[in-house]
Amino acid sequence: MRDVVSAGIGKAVRQVARLRGGGSALPGLVIEKLDPGFLSRVLGRLPYGVVAVSGTNGKTTTTKMVVELLEARGLRVFTNRTGSNFSRGVVAAAIQESDLRGRLDADVAVLELDEAHAMYFIDRVAPRFTLLLNVLRDQLDRFGEIDTTAKLLQRIADATTEGLVVNREDRLIAAIGELTRARTGAHVDVREFGLSDALLAMFPSDDDFHLSATPAEAAREQRTPADVMLLEVGDHEAVFGVDGGQYRTSLKLEGLYNTFNAAAALALVRQILDAGPIAPEAPGQRAAATTGELVTALSEIRPAFGRGEQLVLDGEPLELVLVKNPAGFRLGLASFQAEGVAAMIAINDQYADGRDMSWLWDVDFTSLAESGVDTVCGTRAWDMALRLEHDDVPVGHVEEDPRRALATFRERTLGRPRRIYCTYTAMLDLRRALADLTDVEDVW
């Protein structure tokens, strides 16, 4: 009865919020106050339990990959599709998708969790499986040093009841895996995803900004087998190593980082399917799949919004590339050829971006020196322009307002492919402006 009341109140609040033109997380905020146990009761009924995806970079796209791989096996998946990774966003999504009894038509929940706000979530709902992607310098004003972020992720791992997947190539994440093995023995299945030696230098961690050894040399000193390996990358193509076999596939994903995250998604989905439903009598069929079938399903997945997303504007491609920290920006620059593409960089410093933009000085922008950057915009446009000047990258125009910047960028670059590197809130601003000009997918 309590679920019926909470679901009814939440749906009513959601309807009022929509009529007022916003407040997508408002129902979650209200129900968190009125009924703090709502989420644990709703998610506690799911046959495959709750899956958490966290880390600094790649949560949204990796969550999307995990969801679509599980759906390809016939599972009904509840997820926070808008990317709202605070607990109130998850509650709001549960209210939206539940029936009038407060029940979800789902077998499993796959949830992207913000590193810090996950603490509130795990106090109420224990994940059955968790995927930890990486620890990078991101939003220094929120988290401080990366060790603080690692401690938050450790707490998510500690709350996980059955399966943990970790990034073997990230020193701090790999340590969480080892600590979990030592603490739980065989009670929590710890698996890893990783890189071949040949690819290590392509995927820098924060350590690589400071260590004297090259990434490959440092990593080769202590190599352990990984459950899923990214062996080779090409132009929209990758080779994955699983159980001694090699699986080559085409990909619709954009960017090197998304390809590595695909290895993470494969490792997690294999673990979930191997485990099956929580109890034999639980509803929902075991959805086992061969690795080949999962790789085939992976080849059809497209990027999440802003994560290498490609739009069409004036008959030419326009790519949106989200950048949040030094390693992510470096990988973004390495993932796309600068030649023949008009570039724009949009840098904001709102709360969701992080207030401290000093990390821009740890990014090497020299790959843009020959082609230049047509436009720099956002609240920190002048800081970005100064940073580019120090790397001898010519900047055509500086305009703080994103809509005006987009309009003039469009006029000057007609007939050319375009690419925009942008922080999170700048990306949202630009997508809203682009929605008036071209087809823009709903936020995933």
Side-chain angles (χ1 to χ4, degrees):
M1 183 64 178
R2 192 173 187 183
D3 288 347
V4 174
V5 173
S6 294
I9 293 172
K11 288 179 182 295
V13 172
R14 178 173 178 269
Q15 186 63 30
V16 172
R18 291 183 66 184
L19 291 173
R20 293 173 62 90
S24 62
L26 181 60
L29 186 61
V30 171
I31 297 304
E32 278 187 331
K33 297 291 186 184
L34 296 178
D35 184 6
F38 175 79
L39 193 62
S40 61
R41 296 195 306 274
V42 170
L43 298 185
R45 303 187 187 103
L46 302 180
Y48 279 77
V50 175
V51 181
V53 178
S54 196
T56 307
N57 264 25
K59 295 186 290 293
T60 299
T61 295
T62 307
T63 299
K64 185 176 190 289
M65 285 190 268
V66 172
V67 168
E68 294 190 20
L69 288 175
L70 291 174
E71 288 177 338
R73 303 313 308 159
L75 290 180
R76 299 164 301 163
V77 184
F78 165 70
T79 188
N80 45 339
R81 292 184 185 273
T82 64
S84 179
N85 52 29
F86 293 1
S87 60
R88 61 180 175 270
V90 178
V91 176
I95 291 167
Q96 177 180 340
E97 296 194 24
S98 65
D99 61 21
L100 293 176
R101 298 176 300 158
R103 295 178 181 273
L104 292 170
D105 182 24
D107 300 304
V108 61
V110 180
L111 302 172
E112 171 190 346
L113 296 180
D114 172 85
E115 302 94 307
H117 287 265
M119 302 304 102
Y120 181 93
F121 181 88
I122 62 176
D123 283 345
R124 288 153 180 78
V125 181
R128 187 184 181 201
F129 305 99
T130 290
L131 168 62
L132 299 181
L133 293 167
N134 43 54
V135 180
L136 300 168
R137 279 179 295 159
D138 187 51
Q139 300 191 34
L140 299 178
D141 53 299
R142 288 184 63 201
F143 298 124
E145 292 301 318
I146 60 174
D147 288 344
T148 302
T149 305
K151 289 175 183 177
L152 295 173
L153 297 177
Q154 178 71 63
R155 288 181 59 186
I156 303 174
D158 291 343
T160 302
T161 62
E162 191 166 332
L164 176 67
V165 176
V166 296
N167 180 353
R168 185 189 69 172
E169 314 307 349
D170 186 299
R171 173 180 60 86
L172 294 172
I173 295 294
I176 292 173
E178 291 303 317
L179 286 170
T180 303
R181 284 194 185 98
R183 178 178 58 82
T184 66
H187 294 295
V188 174
D189 175 25
V190 179
R191 303 190 185 185
E192 297 171 319
F193 66 100
L195 298 163
S196 66
D197 289 346
L199 295 182
L200 284 169
M202 297 177 65
F203 295 86
S205 69
D206 269 328
D207 283 343
D208 299 328
F209 292 107
H210 308 291
L211 297 178
S212 57
T214 67
E217 291 169 346
R220 283 196 191 101
E221 293 177 5
Q222 293 183 329
R223 300 289 277 170
T224 57
D227 295 272
V228 176
M229 298 278 291
L230 178 58
L231 301 177
E232 300 176 25
V233 293
D235 182 15
H236 293 88
E237 186 179 66
V239 179
F240 298 97
V242 185
D243 292 337
Q246 294 190 10
Y247 300 84
R248 182 179 297 274
T249 183
S250 59
L251 293 172
K252 294 180 180 177
L253 299 166
E254 299 286 346
L256 295 171
Y257 41 83
N258 283 338
T259 308
F260 189 31
N261 291 338
L266 283 173
L268 178 62
V269 170
R270 280 167 47 86
Q271 185 178 67
I272 295 167
L273 297 181
D274 286 348
I278 293 172
E281 66 274 10
Q285 299 296 313
R286 179 179 288 272
T290 67
T291 300
E293 289 171 328
L294 291 177
V295 171
T296 298
L298 183 67
S299 69
E300 295 300 315
I301 297 174
R302 296 183 180 277
F305 76 102
R307 279 72 173 180
E309 178 184 24
Q310 189 168 103
L311 310 176
V312 176
L313 181 63
D314 304 318
E316 295 288 346
L318 167 64
E319 292 166 326
L320 294 177
V321 182
L322 179 68
V323 293
K324 300 170 57 186
N325 48 52
F329 211 146
R330 281 176 36 165
L331 278 174
L333 292 169
S335 296
F336 304 99
Q337 291 292 327
E339 293 77 13
V341 178
M344 175 171 161
I345 300 179
I347 304 294
N348 280 354
D349 62 352
Q350 298 179 29
Y351 177 77
D353 308 299
R355 301 288 189 183
D356 187 342
M357 289 289 127
S358 62
W359 60 265
L360 291 170
W361 292 88
D362 287 327
V363 182
D364 182 356
F365 292 98
T366 55
S367 62
L368 299 175
E370 185 172 342
S371 55
V373 173
D374 181 272
T375 302
V376 175
C377 74
T379 57
R380 299 297 286 268
W382 292 101
D383 299 78
M384 187 70 247
L386 177 64
R387 176 67 193 92
L388 293 171
E389 181 183 349
H390 276 256
D391 275 357
D392 296 321
V393 178
V395 175
H397 304 271
V398 179
E399 167 58 68
E400 294 182 11
D401 182 82
R403 280 187 174 269
R404 287 200 296 267
L406 179 63
T408 55
F409 176 60
R410 180 189 181 194
E411 291 173 2
R412 286 191 301 272
T413 58
L414 285 173
R416 299 174 61 191
R418 305 172 177 101
R419 183 177 301 124
I420 305 177
Y421 299 95
C422 42
T423 58
Y424 182 72
T425 65
M427 176 191 67
L428 296 180
D429 290 341
L430 290 166
R431 288 181 98 258
R432 282 191 288 268
L434 286 164
D436 297 332
L437 305 172
T438 187
D439 292 331
V440 177
E441 238 185 308
D442 289 338
V443 172
W444 188 86

